[in-house]
């Protein structure tokens, strides 16, 4: 954490976060997790407020104690505890680094929905690093078997040849338009 001059809004935010977490735990150390046990959403993240705006509690905490999250970056929970709002446990990283780290951490822990399985859910393919397909499911990243995802696409195309042909044709027209637009701009 940097020691900068905090704005009035940040100081109010800090008081708010500390008041909230002290209701459920005594903040004994600054290196411990600050658990937000008051109101967690379905995914296990706390809900908080900053400058009158509702947002994730960890985000509100980071804004209050550190500052704005750099553009395009996401806050990674270094402690892997979603309920934690300790700004020292939050690291702004790109989305790719964020999911890579989550995979790595859960492989080490052998827990959570990131837990490393040896075989895919169909029991057909080994879940090696080059066979992992990360799909964003409404803010949650799921680890899928790349082989099965590819096979699913192939099967769908076999079962829906007309729809697949339509999509192919639409893509072809789009690509053609894009090439024409590129030509014009050159
Ligand atoms: Zn933590
Ligand atoms: Zn598979």
């Amino acid at each position: 954490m940097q020691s900068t001059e905090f704005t009035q809004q940040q100081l109010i935010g800090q008081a708010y976060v500390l008041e909230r977490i002290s209701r459920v735990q005594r903040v004994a150390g600054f290196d411990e997790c600050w658990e937000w046990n008051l109101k967690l959403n379905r995914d296990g993240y706390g809900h908080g407020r900053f400058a009158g705006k509702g947002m994730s509690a960890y985000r509100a905490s980071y804004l209050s104690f550190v500052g704005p999250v750099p553009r395009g970056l996401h806050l990674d929970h270094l402690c892997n505890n979603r309920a934690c709002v300790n700004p020292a446990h939050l690291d702004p990283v790109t989305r790719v680094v964020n999911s890579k780290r989550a995979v790595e951490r859960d492989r080490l822990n052998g827990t959570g929905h990131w837990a490393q399985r040896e075989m895919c859910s169909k029991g057909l393919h080994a879940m090696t690093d080059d066979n992992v397909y990360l799909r964003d499911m409404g803010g949650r990243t799921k680890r899928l078997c790349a082989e099965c995802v590819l096979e699913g696409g192939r099967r769908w195309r076999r079962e829906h040849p007309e729809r697949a042909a339509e999509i192919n044709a639409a893509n072809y027209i789009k690509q053609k338009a894009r090439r024409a637009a590129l030509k014009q701009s050159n």
Side-chain angles (χ1 to χ4, degrees), residues 101-113:
R101 280 191 187 167
V103 171
E104 199 41 50
R105 270 196 299 263
D106 278 338
R107 177 160 38 213
L108 293 174
N109 297 338
T111 54
H113 76 224

Side-chain angles (χ1 to χ4, degrees), residues 126-163:
M127 289 297 280
T128 49
D129 281 349
D130 53 0
N131 189 38
V132 172
Y133 180 86
L134 297 178
R135 179 177 281 166
D136 189 50
M137 317 273 274
R140 253 174 121 150
T141 316
K142 262 194 132 179
R143 263 177 109 244
L144 303 173
C145 167
E147 265 310 314
C148 282
V149 170
L150 277 176
E151 181 45 40
R154 280 185 221 118
R155 196 187 326 116
W156 186 87
R157 266 172 263 138
R158 269 200 308 275
E159 286 165 7
H160 306 87
E162 278 149 40
R163 189 75 190 97

Side-chain angles (χ1 to χ4, degrees), residues 45-108:
Y45 294 106
H47 187 79
R49 295 187 80 75
F50 181 78
K53 242 176 85 184
M55 64 174 71
S56 309
Y58 68 92
R59 210 179 157 79
S61 179
Y62 192 88
L63 280 170
S64 308
F65 288 93
V66 184
V69 181
R71 237 186 129 83
L73 297 188
H74 298 257
L75 291 173
D76 178 33
H77 274 94
L78 294 169
C79 55
N80 217 17
N81 176 2
R82 290 178 171 190
C84 174
V85 299
N86 186 341
H89 292 184
L90 297 166
D91 189 23
V93 291
T94 62
R95 190 184 274 280
V96 174
V97 170
N98 200 353
S99 21
K100 270 197 191 142
R101 280 191 187 167
V103 171
E104 199 41 50
R105 270 196 299 263
D106 278 338
R107 177 160 38 213
L108 293 174

Side-chain angles (χ1 to χ4, degrees), residues 118-131:
E118 291 204 354
M119 299 300 276
C120 72
S121 54
K122 289 200 175 139
L124 294 173
H125 312 103
M127 289 297 280
T128 49
D129 281 349
D130 53 0
N131 189 38

